[in-house]
Amino acid sequence: MYYIGYDLGSSSIKAALVNAASGKVLGLAQYPETEMEIKSPKTGWAEQDPNLWWDYLGILTQKLIRQTGVSKTTIKGVGIAYQMHGLVLVDKDLEVLRPSIIWCDSRAAGIGNKVFGDLGEDACMQHLLNSPGNFTLSKLKWVKDNEPSLFEKVDKFMLPGDFIALKLTGEATTTISGLSEGIMWDFKTNTPALWLFEHLGIDTSLIPRMVPTFSVQGSVTKTAAKATGLPSGIPILYRAGDQPNNALSLNVLRPGQIAATGGTSGVVYAVTDHQQSLESLRINNFAHVNYTPDTPLIGKLLNINGAGIQYSWMKQHVLGAQSYEVMNSMAANVPIGAEGLRVVPFGNGVERMLNNGNDGAAIFNLNFNKHQVGHLFRAALEGIAFSFVYGVNIMKRDGVKVGNIRAGNDNLFRSEIFATTLATLIDSEIDILDTTGAIGAARAAGVSMGDFKSLEDVFSDNEKVCTYAPISDKGPYSEAFQLWEQDLNQRYLNNLKHSIHQ
């Protein structure tokens, strides 16, 4: 028997089949092969069609079943991970009303900032642990203000993973973790933040029914079974946003443990049992997958929107169809610091750690007589690593103790330049594990069904690929970072309220 896990990203959807008894991976697949389109009708906007996600998930499921050769009747449950912070709206017939406003869309930043100013930092941080910012509830308020006739038709709002669960089960549901990532959960009362909905003039009847993260959240309908190839009647057993789920997949479940992600965006995610933060605008605090009122574990998240997307952009527009491996090889022939060429990677919407600044990416000191394409790739990898370091330093000042870091074997962490630069500057080993969010979601489904005694039983470290250790001669890395930081502060001075040296 097997569990299937899905990981709905903004680039593609991934799926995994794992053995229900051992948790071992039987098969992995993704669809589409090329990156999904993100539409941007206006500068700073980012939208995707939720129905396209559903179509792709059906194709992907049938692809994985063919690839593994299993009988679909041996699949006994589903786990779902998904891109965080997106907004999906459906009417009373549960039909999608508009494209999803996804995580990297920055149109609602001003709304969230105004709410933060109106309600005050103390109220927001004590109850929400965050500023409303550019998150799901702010996006919902944007629709209310700017598309009133459409808003009148809204019966339920959902996060992207809630929508996939809706299509599978025919029921609109959500989780505590999901509401917290949309900045809709009151951590003091352990209820939805009804007072915040009232402040925004949004009816709380739009909130879907809540279900536990690990639980039977509904069953696959006959219609969904026909569309996907899954067995009718099997349960959806787990649901979480991609970053909490990534941490779970890497066995980051307890205070002091840290997960990192180097995909389209970059993320550092630290688990803590403290519900305080000095960085209310630059660091987010969400209910972790194993959060309960009795054990209120929080995931402290720092996000870098413009990370892997920059390297992907270079792959597409500088090298055409060539691979990341070719880019990394060219970068390896260039010395640390890229002979003065520096890249600031922030070009994918507002950057929360830059106080919601949105000034785009930048290249500094390009010399036409000295620099070649390898320099550009080296500077890009270093610039992304420096962004991580800058963010980790913010987290340290917010009380995070940086020890061993765990990361998946994704594109950026396959680059020795990126990973070694990061390990050296934060003075910490980085363990790379061969796992994915889809694998984590599938295994988590098994935890819900009691096939494993605990989360730790199934999420072990036996899939370690390698460890990146700090370089003893830190000087060249530190010098390159300091010059990069000077460029950053000069370019983004109007948006930065704190210097890294504070």
Side-chain angles (χ1 to χ4, degrees), residues 172-441:
T173 57
T174 193
T175 63
I176 290 177
S177 180
L179 289 176
S180 79
E181 78 180 62
I183 318 303
M184 295 175 272
W185 184 254
D186 189 324
F187 286 88
K188 271 193 172 295
T189 62
N190 274 305
T191 63
L194 305 181
W195 53 273
L196 184 56
F197 281 80
E198 181 180 354
H199 176 80
L200 294 174
I202 296 174
D203 196 319
T204 55
S205 67
L206 303 187
I207 303 172
R209 178 173 63 88
M210 289 175 49
V211 295
T213 297
F214 297 88
S215 67
V216 175
Q217 302 175 358
S219 300
V220 174
T221 65
K222 291 181 179 179
T223 300
K226 184 177 180 180
T228 62
L230 291 172
S232 175
I234 65 170
I236 284 69
L237 296 164
Y238 164 83
R239 189 186 327 171
D242 52 9
Q243 295 309 324
N245 179 75
N246 178 65
L248 170 138
S249 305
L250 296 167
N251 201 22
V252 172
L253 297 162
R254 303 299 172 198
Q257 298 176 335
I258 297 175
T261 303
T264 301
S265 63
V267 169
V268 181
Y269 186 98
V271 178
T272 179
D273 55 5
H274 297 291
Q275 294 187 9
Q276 297 86 27
S277 175
L278 299 174
E279 291 285 355
S280 58
L281 293 176
R282 301 200 284 178
I283 295 175
N284 310 127
N285 299 274
F286 305 126
H288 196 29
V289 293
N290 51 349
Y291 173 97
T292 66
D294 294 330
T295 310
L297 292 174
I298 303 298
K300 192 178 287 289
L301 184 151
L302 184 136
N303 186 72
I304 306 162
N305 278 351
I309 192 171
Q310 176 198 246
Y311 213 44
S312 172
W313 183 91
M314 287 188 177
K315 175 175 175 285
Q316 180 179 355
H317 296 287
V318 178
L319 272 191
Q322 295 190 50
S323 67
Y324 290 118
E325 287 73 19
V326 171
M327 296 169 69
N328 294 342
S329 177
M330 296 174 72
N333 292 322
V334 175
I336 297 167
E339 296 189 285
L341 183 63
R342 294 187 288 277
V343 174
V344 174
F346 308 119
N348 189 32
V350 296
E351 289 291 352
R352 191 162 172 83
M353 77 174 186
L354 300 180
N355 293 318
N356 286 327
N358 187 15
D359 288 338
I363 298 174
F364 292 88
N365 299 329
L366 177 61
N367 187 318
F368 298 126
N369 299 308
K370 178 170 60 175
H371 296 135
Q372 300 176 11
V373 68
H375 290 82
L376 185 62
F377 297 151
R378 174 102 200 189
L381 287 169
E382 289 182 341
I384 301 168
F386 294 158
S387 301
F388 272 73
V389 175
Y390 188 89
V392 167
N393 287 342
I394 294 172
M395 298 187 82
K396 286 180 178 178
R397 292 198 300 276
D398 203 45
V400 171
K401 297 186 183 302
V402 177
N404 175 262
I405 293 178
R406 297 172 184 174
N409 196 21
D410 51 24
N411 286 335
L412 285 176
F413 283 99
R414 289 178 191 151
S415 164
E416 185 174 355
I417 292 171
F418 168 80
T420 300
T421 300
L422 178 58
T424 300
L425 288 171
I426 64 175
D427 195 26
S428 172
E429 289 188 344
I430 301 174
D431 289 332
I432 306 301
L433 279 68
D434 188 17
T435 189
T436 69
I439 294 171

Side-chain angles (χ1 to χ4, degrees), residues 7-13 31-32 34-41 45-54 56 82-84 86-89 96-105 107 139 160 163-164 242 264 309:
D7 186 3
L8 167 62
S10 52
S11 298
S12 66
I13 307 175
Y31 193 87
T34 56
E35 294 183 358
M36 287 192 290
E37 181 183 8
I38 297 176
K39 294 185 178 180
S40 184
W45 290 21
E47 299 182 342
Q48 289 182 323
D49 179 4
N51 287 319
L52 196 60
W53 300 337
W54 176 242
Y56 286 168
Y82 59 90
Q83 51 171 298
M84 297 171 71
L87 174 69
V88 180
L89 300 174
V96 173
L97 286 167
R98 71 172 326 281
S100 172
I101 303 175
I102 66 170
W103 61 275
C104 55
D105 186 297
R107 76 184 72 181
K139 292 168 181 172
F163 173 74
I164 295 301
D242 52 9
T264 301
I309 192 171

